[in-house]
Amino acid sequence: MVNFSLEGKVALVTGAAYGIGFAMAKALAEAGAKIAFNCRSQANMDKALADYKAEGIEAKGYICDATDEAGVKAMVEDIEKTLGPVDILVNNAGIIKRVPMHEMPSEEFRQVIDIDLVAPYICAKAVLPSMMERRHGKIINICSMMSELGRETVSAYAAAKGGLKMLTRNIASEYGEYNIQCNGIGPGYIATPQTAPLRERQPDGSRHPFDSFIVAKTPAARWGTPEDLMGPVVFLASEASDFINGHVLYVDGGILAYIGKQPK
């Protein structure tokens, strides 16, 4: 029988105070996992803990910058003491800066690379020794369609997510012999509070131009929801995916498979 249960497992989901990280942590908890997460501000932490409690989830939160190697190491050590060794790591924390490349300060480019690529490396490095010792572990990197596609104003983000795709493959290659699976999830355009302004109706009742663009480019003809990512993350965190390694599962409603409609 296929086993999707995460009963007794410990999952660390970075940046899971809200949005898709919160939805994925909730899914892992519903499958039986004990949840730890981090964020960088007390305000977000307070709200997140209240939100988890409202869902009946006893999540353990840490104020920790995922780019701080010493801080991440200390967080993982505390998780091991209080919840147990990390069985599942979801590298979800990330940022995007939409700036034309020729106008983007190199410091901002480096910041995106640091958070979206270096932080997953730091977090994976922190949990790998225990996973190797126990010969079991699941690392799930939240990539993006920008792991495959380019688009104006997102040079840093696309570079980081393309690098994260290759880091995913390399972790799978280097640590697969320890029964550690490292896979990615590539969300499409997801309806969250952060993207709400792009979906607001115009004064004349028409769709926002970007909303129209995304719906037209998506065979599913809609934006994704955080709930659309819940099944994929449980699958990749569970024994059901034990022979899947180095793969990026794109949850995009079919955008990457679709060339688009012919102009009329």
Side-chain angles (χ1 to χ4, degrees):
M1 181 177 178
V2 177
N3 186 8
F4 293 98
S5 172
L6 302 178
E7 200 65 42
K9 304 295 184 184
V10 175
L12 168 59
V13 186
T14 68
Y18 53 83
I20 66 173
F22 181 85
M24 290 188 293
K26 178 184 173 185
L28 297 174
E30 289 175 351
K34 293 178 281 187
I35 303 298
F37 73 98
N38 77 301
C39 64
R40 294 191 294 177
S41 79
Q42 188 64 54
N44 283 341
M45 177 62 68
D46 292 342
K47 184 177 186 308
L49 290 174
D51 290 342
Y52 279 109
K53 186 176 181 180
E55 295 287 346
I57 299 168
E58 293 184 10
K60 187 166 180 58
Y62 294 85
I63 295 179
C64 175
D65 184 339
T67 67
D68 175 3
E69 188 163 3
V72 168
K73 186 172 184 289
M75 175 176 66
V76 169
E77 288 175 351
D78 191 76
I79 292 170
E80 290 179 346
K81 290 175 185 175
T82 56
L83 299 179
V86 175
D87 300 291
I88 302 154
L89 167 66
V90 182
N91 278 314
N92 166 73
I95 63 167
I96 186 169
K97 290 182 178 286
R98 295 181 176 89
V99 184
M101 193 178 85
H102 68 283
E103 297 176 1
M104 188 176 207
S106 57
E107 302 82 39
E108 291 191 6
F109 189 94
R110 289 190 183 98
Q111 182 188 20
V112 175
I113 297 295
D114 210 28
I115 294 172
D116 292 3
L117 178 57
V118 179
Y121 152 77
I122 288 172
C123 293
K125 180 181 175 183
V127 301
L128 275 167
S130 173
M131 290 181 174
M132 293 165 66
E133 183 179 342
R134 291 177 291 125
R135 302 191 68 83
H136 170 80
K138 302 281 187 175
I139 298 174
I140 303 168
N141 293 326
I142 305 306
C143 299
S144 165
M145 291 187 304
M146 297 299 113
S147 301
E148 301 289 342
L149 299 173
R151 190 172 180 273
E152 63 275 9
T153 77
V154 295
S155 58
Y157 186 77
K161 293 300 186 177
L164 187 57
K165 175 184 71 175
M166 291 311 302
L167 180 63
T168 299
R169 292 178 176 177
N170 205 81
I171 292 172
S173 301
E174 193 165 355
Y175 299 101
E177 66 180 291
Y178 294 94
N179 190 34
I180 296 168
Q181 291 83 49
C182 181
N183 293 292
I185 293 177
Y189 286 91
I190 306 297
T192 65
Q194 289 73 30
T195 60
L198 299 174
R199 290 176 281 107
E200 287 181 352
R201 289 284 175 174
Q202 302 300 285
D204 63 359
S206 64
R207 287 180 180 270
H208 188 290
F210 192 79
D211 185 17
S212 297
F213 168 69
I214 293 304
V215 171
K217 289 291 292 181
T218 308
R222 66 173 178 87
W223 288 63
T225 68
E227 289 73 25
D228 287 320
L229 299 168
M230 294 172 79
V233 76
V234 170
F235 167 61
L236 291 177
S238 73
E239 292 179 6
S241 61
D242 277 358
F243 203 56
I244 298 172
N245 215 355
H247 177 73
V248 179
L249 174 57
Y250 290 100
V251 186
D252 66 353
I255 290 179
L256 287 173
Y258 188 42
I259 197 171
K261 292 181 179 179
Q262 180 177 332
K264 295 181 180 179

